[in-house]
Amino acid sequence: MALASMAADPIALPSLQLSAKYDSLHADSARTNATLQAACTWGNTPDGGMDRLTCNNDDKSVRDWFISETKKYGCHHRVDEMGNIFAIRPGQNNNLPPIGLGSHLDTQPTGGKYDGILGVICGMEVLQVLHANNVTTYAPVAVVNWTNEEGARFPPAMLCSGVWGGEFTAKYAQGRQDPEGNSLGAELKRIGYMGPTPCSFEANPLLAHFEVHIEQGPILDVAEKPVGIVRGVQSIRWCNVGITGREAHTGTTPMDRRCDALLGAAKMIVETNRIVTETEVAPRGGRATIAVINSLPQSINTIAGKVNLGLDIRAPADSDVALIEKQCIEGFEKICKQHGLEMSFDNFWVSPALNFDPTMVSCVKQSAAELGCDIEIVSGAGHDSVYTSRKVPTAMIFVRCKDGVSHHPAEFSREEDCAAGAETLLRAYLRYDDYIRRSHAKM
Amino acid sequence: MALASMAADPIALPSLQLSAKYDSLHADSARTNATLQAACTWGNTPDGGMDRLTCNNDDKSVRDWFISETKKYGCHHRVDEMGNIFAIRPGQNNNLPPIGLGSHLDTQPTGGKYDGILGVICGMEVLQVLHANNVTTYAPVAVVNWTNEEGARFPPAMLCSGVWGGEFTAKYAQGRQDPEGNSLGAELKRIGYMGPTPCSFEANPLLAHFEVHIEQGPILDVAEKPVGIVRGVQSIRWCNVGITGREAHTGTTPMDRRCDALLGAAKMIVETNRIVTETEVAPRGGRATIAVINSLPQSINTIAGKVNLGLDIRAPADSDVALIEKQCIEGFEKICKQHGLEMSFDNFWVSPALNFDPTMVSCVKQSAAELGCDIEIVSGAGHDSVYTSRKVPTAMIFVRCKDGVSHHPAEFSREEDCAAGAETLLRAYLRYDDYIRRSHAKM
């Protein structure tokens, strides 16, 4: 799923010292990468990429493998009605919900080996470190494989973490269909992964949620840092812009007597770009893109009478997204006036800016600092952590990916960077577990 | 079909006096308009428009009607292998090919009652005037219904006058298919209009071709003149522009690290408009339009990686069309450089500027002058006359249409303007017949 990452100014957060007893624990690079490759046994493609759509037979195989592997590290399993799998390793205080370490094993149809998969594998590496060192943490821990994060087979994206977080009902999500008309519910039953646990925070809570994910952007690659601290998620608005002009012959209609909807649309695309590159929102990380365009009647000798545009606006601050939208509307209205066009503007989706839990972010920050990494990033929406953050403290760790490329077979993160992601997750998670232990000791 | 009309400076042409014996002959407004309405008995739509695609049952009905009506005015008929119908009224010298008065009875699927139909009806009015006044002209005359001018069912447009004029082979044209896979040849057979006459100038010649057509543009409406003298046809080039950028996430990709093919395309659309409104070609009637756009992958959060544009360039002079194309390529290349884009530019169709036969244009001019009309227009391509002009002297008369609207149910020409078209055709045609008689007398 798309991210809206950008470098952010660091903010001060409280120190969270790792217990001395945990200090010698480290992720194993070779093991992390071997587990990653094992997870790509099913659904890999000759070009080095992955094609593992939700609930296909490869997805069933990797789920079976995930359960059998995590059993080896002392886990029992809970599968909910959306197929989300919780591999739970008990702690000292099993009255507490587990701390979740989650991401997803499904991929885009022409995806890579890192988007989602790396996050689950880093969680599995944490389990292996704990198991190998006979560590019993304070709270239980659960590595979570969230179903259908990509939404590539069953739109929308992040569907099943969305059910858990209260965004969608299970009924709605189970009824989502692929292009052949198969429902997600039927397909979960077919592969044996419609579990008995209700899918919700209330019925099956976590205490917190950490997620490792590739950055899907170029910031870490440019900065030459293996991992980044995700401070939150950008604010996003999606809008449909409808432009109505007047169809007329390209040959017979003088240039000054036209109401050319496509010319108007073109000026709107240029204006949108100008707003986020030349006005006050530019240095504050405002972004706006028009990537969807439809024009009618698509005849080379008939001036376009109707054009629709899809507008994607992002910025770290909600106020900047609102400002960009306002500037777009004002600019577009001027263009319409100039060209005799009518406009409809529909802001059909809003995702407010999200700040991850300061304590958890601090755990990530201190763990990243041990690897010499201090870059803080504001991510776009589009991870399972967006929906977990509605219910529980959440934080994310980004791992560098080559050239920022993702959703493509060329998606690549170096072995040492994958290991750095696991190491940061391990130590951030242990810091947080210590923090929970200390909090309970005070009570 | 689209026209590229524009007002042109008048040019001097020789005087062609109408014989005194013809001077009392005039078109009848009521009769012209009654014939027009009768021709719209088949295929009219509740919104006042027409939907009579080539070779549908309504097209068969109007063809049957055309033959039975023109028989009443002393015509015999020739139907060629493309279904073009020649209603021939003998003259004094039947060794000569007939002078053609042609246009088309097919319409756009959401067309009007005037585009094409008016031209055939004006020809029929000429026949009626001759018949009612017992006039035998010098050369025979043929009112021609050209098949599939619109190309709406069987692309391309002007298909069967194109076969007659040598642009297409009959085999190619008969093999053209509608979206359901029916071929034009099979459909001509089905409705009984695949005639025995080979379709070519050589096998079935005309001496000349006059055509009345609605202007499909606003010049006459703005000038408040019922008819205009068509001096020729603009030069046209059609080009495909392919733009390749790099797909990337709208959320993760900084504004200065994008290769946004749609932003580049938008700037090209704006640049194209600038060239024909702000540079030297503007006062010389240059026009350029982009009305076709396709963008991939059409996902609101993925920057467009591939865009295709269809570019339509017109001007009265070939040199200006070439200049506009050159300016576009230069401007587009700069945009590509600025945004890291690749471009392909394919000029896939050229229609050079066409000047109609000076003697015939003079006949039209003097006849239009009798109605107080002196506006000369350079039309766009897209009439059957473009292809007849490849073989025989050709001229056209434009009739005013409301607001320049055509290919739309709202297409409208006033009764008096339709009659003015018939009157201008009648007298221009008679002038030309006189001219032929005088030429032969000299020999």
Side-chain angles (χ1 to χ4, degrees):
Chain A
M1 187 62 186
L3 293 176
S5 58
M6 62 162 297
D9 297 330
I11 48 173
L13 286 165
S15 171
L16 286 160
Q17 189 62 43
L18 191 62
S19 301
K21 63 176 173 176
Y22 289 156
D23 204 42
S24 62
L25 301 182
H26 295 287
D28 181 308
S29 175
R31 186 170 58 193
T32 301
N33 283 283
T35 311
L36 180 80
Q37 292 308 320
C40 295
T41 304
W42 306 275
N44 59 63
T45 53
D47 52 14
M50 291 293 292
D51 174 12
R52 188 160 66 200
L53 295 177
T54 296
C55 288
N56 71 10
N57 292 340
D58 290 320
D59 188 31
K60 172 181 166 46
S61 298
V62 76
R63 286 164 175 267
D64 292 349
W65 168 84
F66 173 71
I67 287 176
S68 92
E69 285 297 301
T70 48
K71 260 187 196 157
K72 297 178 192 167
Y73 322 133
C75 293
H76 62 274
H77 296 82
R78 205 172 282 162
V79 180
D80 73 18
E81 62 192 321
M82 292 314 309
N84 297 319
I85 309 174
F86 298 73
I88 303 167
R89 188 172 187 275
Q92 295 163 16
N93 181 351
N94 291 305
N95 292 324
L96 288 174
I99 296 173
L101 314 176
S103 199
H104 59 97
L105 291 169
D106 70 317
T107 76
Q108 289 282 325
T110 56
K113 290 181 169 174
Y114 303 87
D115 177 352
I117 300 172
L118 179 61
V120 176
I121 269 52
C122 287
M124 290 171 75
E125 175 61 18
V126 169
L127 294 179
Q128 289 181 81
V129 171
L130 300 180
H131 190 68
N133 292 279
N134 287 312
V135 174
T136 302
T137 52
Y138 179 67
V141 58
V143 177
V144 188
N145 172 39
W146 297 104
T147 299
N148 194 54
E149 193 273 348
E150 293 292 354
R153 182 175 180 190
F154 300 101
M158 309 167 330
L159 185 63
C160 299
S161 53
V163 174
W164 187 87
E167 173 71 11
F168 311 115
T169 65
K171 191 179 167 190
Y172 166 82
Q174 287 173 349
R176 302 302 295 161
Q177 293 185 345
D178 68 11
E180 281 73 47
N182 304 301
S183 73
L184 174 54
E187 283 292 279
L188 281 170
K189 276 186 195 158
R190 185 184 71 78
I191 66 165
Y193 277 91
M194 183 183 276
T197 306
C199 180
S200 71
F201 162 74
E202 290 73 16
N204 181 30
L206 295 171
L207 190 67
H209 187 259
F210 281 102
E211 182 171 10
V212 172
H213 205 281
I214 56 168
E215 182 198 338
Q216 300 182 274
I219 294 170
L220 295 172
D221 202 28
V222 170
E224 299 185 354
K225 295 289 185 185
V227 296
I229 302 130
V230 187
R231 213 168 74 189
V233 181
Q234 287 197 354
S235 177
I236 311 181
R237 291 192 188 193
W238 284 355
C239 309
N240 276 328
V241 186
I243 307 153
T244 305
R246 195 174 60 232
E247 293 175 14
H249 290 282
T250 57
T252 57
T253 315
M255 299 308 298
D256 60 356
R257 291 179 61 89
R258 300 178 172 208
C259 301
D260 185 336
L262 184 53
L263 178 61
K267 290 190 173 180
M268 291 176 191
I269 293 169
V270 174
E271 172 66 4
T272 298
N273 186 258
R274 189 194 67 79
I275 289 166
V276 292
T277 55
E278 294 180 20
T279 77
E280 61 186 292
V281 297
R284 297 200 296 259
R287 288 186 190 141
T289 312
I290 292 173
V292 171
I293 186 165
N294 288 292
S295 168
L296 287 174
Q298 287 284 76
S299 163
I300 193 164
N301 57 1
T302 304
I303 294 162
K306 184 88 193 150
V307 176
N308 284 298
L309 301 175
L311 169 62
D312 172 304
I313 305 175
R314 309 194 184 212
D318 292 330
S319 57
D320 275 339
V321 165
L323 177 61
I324 293 167
E325 184 187 272
K326 180 170 169 282
Q327 287 180 298
C328 283
I329 291 172
E330 287 171 2
F332 294 0
E333 281 174 348
K334 271 186 204 158
I335 292 163
C336 286
K337 202 165 178 184
Q338 185 192 353
H339 291 281
L341 306 170
E342 303 268 309
M343 178 176 78
S344 66
F345 192 100
D346 173 29
N347 169 211
F348 67 94
W349 186 63
V350 171
S351 178
L354 184 63
N355 289 309
F356 284 142
D357 179 76
T359 305
M360 289 182 70
V361 171
S362 185
C363 292
V364 170
K365 193 174 172 178
Q366 290 175 40
S367 305
E370 292 172 352
L371 303 177
C373 297
D374 58 2
I375 293 181
E376 300 192 6
I377 296 178
V378 176
S379 163
H383 294 295
D384 293 309
S385 287
V386 169
Y387 287 133
T388 64
S389 76
R390 302 242 177 123
K391 299 292 182 182
V392 296
T394 293
M396 290 186 74
I397 298 154
F398 273 172
V399 170
R400 162 166 60 179
C401 59
K402 192 171 182 300
D403 299 327
V405 170
S406 70
H407 287 197
H408 192 280
E411 178 182 296
F412 178 71
S413 291
R414 283 185 258 179
E415 291 199 3
E416 55 268 37
D417 295 353
C418 295
E423 173 80 355
T424 309
L425 176 68
L426 170 70
R427 295 174 74 86
Y429 151 67
L430 289 173
R431 280 188 160 86
Y432 194 72
D433 187 70
D434 266 356
Y435 162 78
I436 295 296
R437 184 202 315 268
R438 285 196 301 270
S439 307
H440 283 242
K442 284 179 203 158
M443 286 193 290
Chain B
M1 187 59 187
L3 293 174
S5 58
M6 61 162 300
D9 298 329
I11 49 169
L13 286 165
S15 169
L16 287 161
Q17 188 62 42
L18 191 62
S19 300
K21 64 176 173 176
Y22 289 158
D23 205 41
S24 62
L25 300 182
H26 293 287
D28 182 306
S29 175
R31 187 170 57 194
T32 301
N33 283 284
T35 311
L36 181 81
Q37 291 309 319
C40 296
T41 304
W42 306 276
N44 59 62
T45 51
D47 52 15
M50 291 294 292
D51 174 12
R52 189 160 65 203
L53 295 177
T54 296
C55 287
N56 71 10
N57 293 339
D58 289 320
D59 187 33
K60 173 184 166 42
S61 297
V62 75
R63 285 163 175 267
D64 293 348
W65 167 85
F66 173 71
I67 288 176
S68 92
E69 285 297 301
T70 48
K71 260 187 196 156
K72 297 178 191 166
Y73 323 132
C75 292
H76 62 274
H77 295 83
R78 206 171 280 160
V79 180
D80 73 19
E81 63 192 321
M82 293 314 309
N84 298 317
I85 309 175
F86 298 74
I88 303 168
R89 188 172 187 274
Q92 294 162 17
N93 181 352
N94 292 306
N95 292 323
L96 290 174
I99 296 173
L101 315 176
S103 200
H104 60 97
L105 291 169
D106 71 314
T107 76
Q108 289 282 325
T110 55
K113 291 180 168 175
Y114 302 88
D115 176 353
I117 300 171
L118 179 61
V120 176
I121 268 53
C122 288
M124 291 171 75
E125 176 60 18
V126 169
L127 294 178
Q128 290 182 80
V129 170
L130 301 179
H131 190 66
N133 293 278
N134 286 313
V135 173
T136 302
T137 52
Y138 178 67
V141 59
V143 177
V144 187
N145 172 38
W146 298 105
T147 298
N148 194 56
E149 193 275 345
E150 294 291 356
R153 183 174 180 193
F154 300 102
M158 309 169 328
L159 185 64
C160 299
S161 54
V163 174
W164 187 87
E167 174 72 11
F168 311 115
T169 66
K171 190 179 166 191
Y172 167 81
Q174 287 173 350
R176 302 301 295 160
Q177 293 185 345
D178 67 11
E180 279 74 47
N182 304 301
S183 73
L184 174 53
E187 282 292 281
L188 282 169
K189 277 186 192 158
R190 185 184 70 80
I191 66 165
Y193 276 91
M194 184 184 276
T197 307
C199 179
S200 72
F201 162 73
E202 291 73 15
N204 181 30
L206 296 172
L207 190 66
H209 187 259
F210 282 102
E211 181 170 10
V212 173
H213 204 282
I214 56 168
E215 182 199 337
Q216 301 182 271
I219 296 169
L220 296 171
D221 202 30
V222 169
E224 298 185 355
K225 295 290 183 183
V227 295
I229 303 130
V230 186
R231 212 166 77 189
V233 180
Q234 287 197 356
S235 178
I236 312 180
R237 291 192 189 192
W238 284 354
C239 309
N240 276 328
V241 186
I243 308 152
T244 305
R246 196 174 59 231
E247 295 174 12
H249 290 282
T250 58
T252 56
T253 315
M255 298 308 296
D256 61 356
R257 291 179 61 89
R258 299 178 171 208
C259 301
D260 184 336
L262 184 54
L263 178 61
K267 290 191 172 178
M268 291 178 193
I269 294 168
V270 174
E271 172 66 4
T272 299
N273 186 259
R274 190 195 66 80
I275 289 166
V276 292
T277 55
E278 294 181 20
T279 76
E280 60 186 293
V281 297
R284 298 199 296 261
R287 288 183 189 142
T289 312
I290 292 172
V292 171
I293 187 165
N294 288 291
S295 168
L296 286 174
Q298 289 283 79
S299 163
I300 195 166
N301 56 0
T302 303
I303 294 163
K306 184 88 191 152
V307 176
N308 284 297
L309 301 174
L311 169 62
D312 173 305
I313 304 175
R314 309 194 185 213
D318 292 330
S319 58
D320 275 341
V321 166
L323 178 60
I324 294 167
E325 184 187 274
K326 182 170 167 282
Q327 288 179 297
C328 283
I329 290 172
E330 287 171 3
F332 295 1
E333 281 174 348
K334 270 186 206 158
I335 292 162
C336 286
K337 203 164 174 182
Q338 187 192 351
H339 290 281
L341 306 170
E342 301 270 309
M343 177 175 79
S344 65
F345 192 99
D346 173 28
N347 168 212
F348 68 95
W349 186 63
V350 170
S351 179
L354 184 63
N355 290 308
F356 284 143
D357 179 75
T359 306
M360 289 181 70
V361 171
S362 187
C363 293
V364 170
K365 192 173 174 177
Q366 290 176 39
S367 305
E370 293 172 353
L371 302 177
C373 297
D374 59 0
I375 292 180
E376 301 192 5
I377 296 177
V378 175
S379 164
H383 294 297
D384 293 309
S385 287
V386 169
Y387 288 134
T388 65
S389 76
R390 302 239 179 127
K391 298 294 183 181
V392 296
T394 293
M396 290 187 73
I397 298 154
F398 273 171
V399 170
R400 161 168 59 181
C401 59
K402 189 169 183 303
D403 299 328
V405 170
S406 71
H407 287 196
H408 193 279
E411 178 183 293
F412 178 70
S413 292
R414 284 186 256 180
E415 291 199 3
E416 55 269 37
D417 295 352
C418 293
E423 174 79 355
T424 308
L425 177 67
L426 171 70
R427 295 173 74 85
Y429 152 65
L430 290 173
R431 279 186 160 87
Y432 194 72
D433 187 68
D434 266 355
Y435 163 79
I436 296 296
R437 183 202 314 271
R438 284 196 301 273
S439 307
H440 282 242
K442 281 181 203 159
M443 289 192 289

